[in-house]
Amino acid sequence: MSSWTVQPEPVDSPTAVAVIRTYLAEIIGRYYGRPATPAEVDRAIADDPTDDLVRFFVGRRAGAVRGCVGFRLVDRETAEMKRMFVDPTARGTGGGAALLAAVEEAAVSFGAAAIRLDTRTDLVEARALYARHGYREVSAFNDDRYAEHWFEKRL
C-alpha cells in the first residue's frame, strides 16, 4: 500500500480545479446514475463555489492526485468541511483518514472548536469514514437540497 501525502493547495490552482471537477463529476454521476456532463459540473461549481474556502488540501498517493478536502469558517469556532473526496480507485488505502487529519488540524489552527459537514445517503463510504473518525450525526444546519445527513466533530 502506497503512502499518502496531503498538502495545502491554492483552491484556484489548475491542480485544485482539476480534482474538484473530478470530485463533482463523480458525485453528480452517482446522484443521476449516469456520467455527469461538463455543463452539470460547471453548474455545481457556480451553485456552490469554493472561493470562500480558507484552506484547501490535495491528497496524493504514489505521486498522483487522488483526493481533496477544504473548509470554510462559519463563525469564530466552527469550520465547515467541503469537497471531501477520495478517488474511487484509491479508496480503502488511508487517504480519507489522511485528508481528515489535515483538515481538522488546519481548522484548529484557525481557532475552530468544531467541524461540520453535510452529505447524502448514497455516499455510504463517506458516512462510514466520518463515523469511524468521531463525527456524529446532528440536526440539519442548512437547507442544501442535496444534504440528507449532517455531521459534526468537536476538535
Side-chain angles (χ1 to χ4, degrees):
M1 185 179 312
S2 297
S3 63
W4 280 77
T5 59
V6 178
Q7 297 186 312
E9 181 77 25
V11 74
D12 59 351
S13 76
T15 298
V17 169
V19 72
I20 289 168
R21 292 188 69 83
T22 300
Y23 155 75
L24 289 169
E26 202 247 335
I27 65 166
I28 292 167
R30 285 178 69 162
Y31 185 79
Y32 289 114
R34 59 161 174 74
T37 67
E40 288 169 328
V41 172
D42 292 342
R43 192 166 37 255
I45 290 169
D47 288 347
D48 188 13
T50 56
D51 59 352
D52 64 343
L53 299 183
V54 297
R55 187 73 77 222
F56 187 77
F57 296 92
V58 169
R60 289 179 173 81
R61 181 169 184 252
V65 173
R66 294 289 181 241
C68 63
V69 68
F71 73 95
R72 61 176 57 119
L73 292 173
V74 177
D75 57 41
R76 291 178 47 137
E77 295 185 357
T78 310
E80 183 178 11
M81 190 184 318
K82 299 298 292 181
R83 307 296 195 234
M84 175 64 179
F85 173 67
V86 175
D87 188 280
T89 64
R91 291 185 183 146
T93 63
L99 289 161
L100 285 178
V103 78
E104 291 169 6
E105 182 179 325
V108 167
S109 78
F110 277 82
I115 190 165
R116 66 187 190 186
L117 63 100
D118 63 58
T119 192
R120 299 189 327 231
T121 298
D122 65 313
L123 302 177
V124 176
E125 308 92 337
R127 290 188 298 119
L129 174 72
Y130 303 137
R132 277 195 313 273
H133 289 275
Y135 288 76
R136 300 290 173 245
E137 285 211 50
V138 296
S139 298
F141 54 78
N142 65 27
D143 60 357
D144 183 316
R145 66 181 171 169
Y146 299 109
E148 298 168 313
H149 298 271
W150 295 262
F151 288 86
E152 182 176 276
K153 180 178 181 178
R154 302 301 297 173
L155 299 173

